[in-house]
Amino acid sequence: YEERFLRAFPMALEEAAEDSTGLLDPERRTRAAWTLRTFQGFGYLSGLVELGGEKGPTIALDDGLRVRATPMLAQVFPHPPPA
C-alpha cells in the first residue's frame, strides 16, 4: 500500500524532502508516515484494526508490525460493497 500511495501522490516525496530532518531519506520517511497515520492513527484508534509487534500496538520502524482486521472493519467497509 505504501508503494501505491507513492505512485498516487509523488508530491509527498517532494514535501518530505523539503521538510527533511536528515534522519531518514524522503522515501523512507514518507512510507513510515503513511504506515503510522493509516494503521495507528486511523485504523487502530478507530477500532478497525488490531496491531501487534515486538513492542505492542505502538508502531516503530522495522518493528515487525502485524496488522489484523477487526469485525468492525467489515461492517464499515463491506467487501464486496453493496450494490
Side-chain angles (χ1 to χ4, degrees):
Y1 290 107
E2 292 171 355
E3 186 63 38
R4 290 180 179 187
F5 175 82
L6 290 174
R7 277 188 278 157
F9 302 101
M11 69 289 282
L13 290 175
E14 295 169 16
E15 186 176 326
E18 292 171 2
D19 194 31
S20 180
T21 60
L23 298 176
L24 295 173
D25 66 87
E27 182 175 341
R28 181 142 181 205
R29 187 172 172 200
T30 303
R31 289 175 181 273
W34 181 89
T35 299
L36 176 70
R37 292 173 184 166
T38 301
F39 291 126
Q40 189 172 15
F42 175 70
Y44 178 73
L45 293 178
S46 63
L48 299 175
V49 298
E50 295 175 351
L51 300 178
E54 296 171 9
K55 298 176 184 164
T58 301
I59 295 175
L61 293 177
D62 303 322
D63 186 27
L65 177 67
R66 292 181 310 278
V67 180
R68 184 172 58 208
T70 64
M72 187 187 306
L73 182 68
Q75 292 172 348
V76 175
F77 300 104
H79 184 73

